[in-house]
Structures are given as structure tokens and as C-alpha cells.
Amino acid sequence: MKSLTALLAALAMTTATPSQAENWSIAIHGGAGTLERAKMTPELEAEYEAALQAALDAGADVLKQGGSAMEAIQAAIVILEDNPRFNAGRGAVFTWDGTNELDASIMDGRDRSAGAVAGVKTVKNPILLADKVRTESEHVFLMGKGAEDFSVEKGFEVTPPEYFATPARREALERMKAKQLSALDVDHKFGTVGAVALDMQGNLAAGTSTGGMTGKRWGRIGDAPVIGAGTYADNRSCAVSATGWGEFFIRVGVAHEICTRLRLGIAAPQDAADAVMQEVADLGGDGGVILVTPAGDALFSFNTSGMYRGRATSGGINEVAIFGGDAASSAAPEH
């Protein structure tokens, strides 16, 4: 009888459909905000779309080959951190004092292990350091010089400050100071980057990386490195990465709130994301989220006019988009 049972089990495995055996999905973002099509040249739009597609492809390739969700999101985020068009890694915005301070966080849905860093200035890819905090320390969150000392101990090269600086970001800071503008007047989008993924083993992961807000002062930290606000992953519910006005995302606990609603069965994935983003809007904040579910849904929700985003699934979806109403979008009501 045991041998017959084993044979039937083996036959069941061999007859499983590709969708059952190879289900994976990934979603990425490069920031949300006031994005106007009229101010976007065809050349610049093509450049952004190519950058998003490159990051999406890098993560999807990992998943297609049976790699883990953790590996996939890091592959995607590193590409966005290295691209000066996005406010993360190289191309990060300047603080009031004229420095680039970087934040990142990452979370594994299998065991809810997490790592985060804030205010680092010498780490080329903060998302990789956040993962090292997760895997090779007893802590979750390191900041400033301590995080940089930890990075050196773990073999990270010290990246000179000039690597991160770009003329466009410096001009934004100078314009802000000269005209006494707010960060929101200078930056009409939040260039935070992130990725969420489901791998073939059924595991979820999420990661987020940012340079913060132009002209930030007093060691300001937004939601990106805060587990539960900008990043969260739990195999029982979903994986979320957020981008937006960090203070409001922290107050709502956006990433964790969405996952909790799904875990408790309060709402369908899209409805949960839209409802939480509406809460952000009701408080006066804006931005967006990406999420994937254990079933392989790859979804977006944002209450701004656009969000740099993309998604790919084993079911054949592969798309990138920028503006609200484009193919990859699903927007919560604007405020």
C-alpha cells in the first residue's frame, strides 16, 4: 500500500501543470508623484521605461531560473540604485547640508527576518547592506556611522561621496534654498525604488531603497527603511514596498496594514491596497505601493498622477508604465 501511495504521489507531481509548478511574480517601482505627460519628452520617457524594464528583467530572470524572491528583489533594486535617474544610490537627493544620505530595508516573508539601514553615505548599494544586517547581525536596524562601520567589517567597499552626487540633484537643492521652497515644490515625485516578489517555492520578499527628500534636515528619516511602513513581507499575506511622503506612510503603517488586512481576510488584495492608500490621502499624504500575493498577483495602487512601475509574472505579464491610466496602473482615488 505504501508503494502504491508513493507511486500516486509521484504521478501527481509529474502531471502538475506549469502554472502550478512554476508560479512566480515580481513588481518594481521607481517612485510616485506628480508626473505630467506634457513635461515628459519621448526620449526621456523611453529612457525611464528602458531602466524599469532592465530592473524588471533582472529580477524576473532570477525567478525564472528557480532563484529565491530575496535574490530577485535585490537584483532588481541594485540596477535602480545604480541608475542616476532614480532617487536611490547614485542620483540620491541632497540633504540641506549638501550630502547624500541613503536608507534601505528588506524583508523575507518566510520567517519575517528583516534588515534596514539609514543615513549611510559610503555604501554603493544600501539594499545589499540592509540584507547583510538581516543575515549577519542580531539586529534589524542600523544607522549612520555604525551602519558604515558594520559594512566595512562585512567586506563592503567604501564608496566616495562624489559617486552619489549628480548635477540635477545639486541644482534642485540650490533652487530650493534660493527660492525658499519646500521639498515638495522641488521634487514633484518621490524617487524611492523598490521591488516585491514571489518565487517558485512560494516565498515572498520585499525591499525598498531611497535617498529621502531634497533638503532634508536634522537626520530626517522617512518610511523606506522602516519595517512595516515602507517595506513588509509575510508568506501568509503579501509583500509590499512603498514610495511617497514618508511621514504619512509611517503614521499609517502602510506596508504592514495592507498585509494585515489580507492575512485576516478583510479585503481582496487590490481593495486592501486602495483602501490603505486612501487613508494616506485622507491624512494629507500621497504616494503609492506595489505588492505581490501568495497567489501570484502583482498589483499597484497610488493616489498620485503617476508612478514609475513594472510587473512580470509566470502567467505571461511583462509591462512597465509611468502615468496613471497606463496599462500597468491601478490607482486609488486622488485627493
Side-chain angles (χ1 to χ4, degrees), residues 223 226-232 240 242 246-261 276 279-280 283 289:
D223 67 299
V226 179
I227 300 300
T231 301
Y232 201 75
V240 177
E247 282 70 13
F248 293 93
F249 280 68
I250 293 172
R251 289 164 59 187
V252 174
V254 166
H256 184 267
E257 179 68 14
I258 293 171
C259 287
T260 297
R261 294 187 184 202
V276 173
E279 283 193 29
V280 172
L283 292 177
V289 295

Side-chain angles (χ1 to χ4, degrees), residues 27 45 50 65 115 137 147 154 162 194 211 229 236 239 244 248 295 317 320:
E45 183 173 355
Q65 295 170 21
S137 84
K154 297 303 177 181
E162 55 268 25
R236 300 173 298 175
F248 293 93
I317 293 174
V320 297

Side-chain angles (χ1 to χ4, degrees), residues 90-105:
R90 184 166 182 252
V93 299
F94 282 89
T95 67
W96 184 265
D97 295 326
T99 60
N100 306 109
E101 296 182 359
L102 313 172
D103 310 328
S105 62

Side-chain angles (χ1 to χ4, degrees), residues 245 248 277-278 280-287 302-304 332-335:
W245 196 339
F248 293 93
M277 285 309 305
Q278 186 60 56
V280 172
D282 291 342
L283 292 177
D286 56 3
F302 52 96
N303 57 23
T304 55
E334 294 186 19
H335 66 285

Side-chain angles (χ1 to χ4, degrees), residues 67-190:
S68 71
M70 290 295 292
E71 294 168 331
I73 63 169
Q74 290 177 72
I77 292 173
V78 162
I79 287 179
L80 296 172
E81 286 180 332
D82 290 346
N83 190 313
R85 287 288 181 190
F86 300 98
N87 175 20
R90 184 166 182 252
V93 299
F94 282 89
T95 67
W96 184 265
D97 295 326
T99 60
N100 306 109
E101 296 182 359
L102 313 172
D103 310 328
S105 62
I106 196 167
M107 190 166 184
D108 190 333
R110 290 176 295 184
D111 56 5
R112 285 176 284 171
S113 59
V117 295
V120 297
K121 303 177 182 179
T122 62
V123 180
K124 180 182 179 183
N125 295 112
I127 194 65
L128 301 183
L129 180 58
D131 193 50
K132 193 67 69 172
V133 173
R134 181 186 71 88
T135 58
E136 296 189 22
S137 84
E138 63 271 37
H139 307 298
V140 169
F141 206 155
L142 301 181
M143 63 172 286
K145 185 178 183 300
E148 292 173 351
D149 290 345
F150 175 79
S151 74
V152 172
E153 285 189 18
K154 297 303 177 181
F156 284 74
E157 292 185 5
V158 175
T159 302
E162 55 268 25
Y163 168 81
F164 303 101
T166 60
R169 300 300 191 192
R170 190 177 296 279
E171 186 275 332
L173 176 64
E174 292 171 352
R175 180 157 45 92
M176 176 185 185
K177 289 185 172 183
K179 297 183 179 180
Q180 296 184 329
L181 301 172
S182 73
L184 297 179
D185 291 324
V186 174
D187 288 325
H188 298 293
K189 71 178 183 68
F190 305 98

Side-chain angles (χ1 to χ4, degrees), residues 232-247:
Y232 201 75
D234 183 344
N235 278 8
R236 300 173 298 175
S237 54
C238 67
V240 177
S241 175
T243 171
W245 196 339
E247 282 70 13

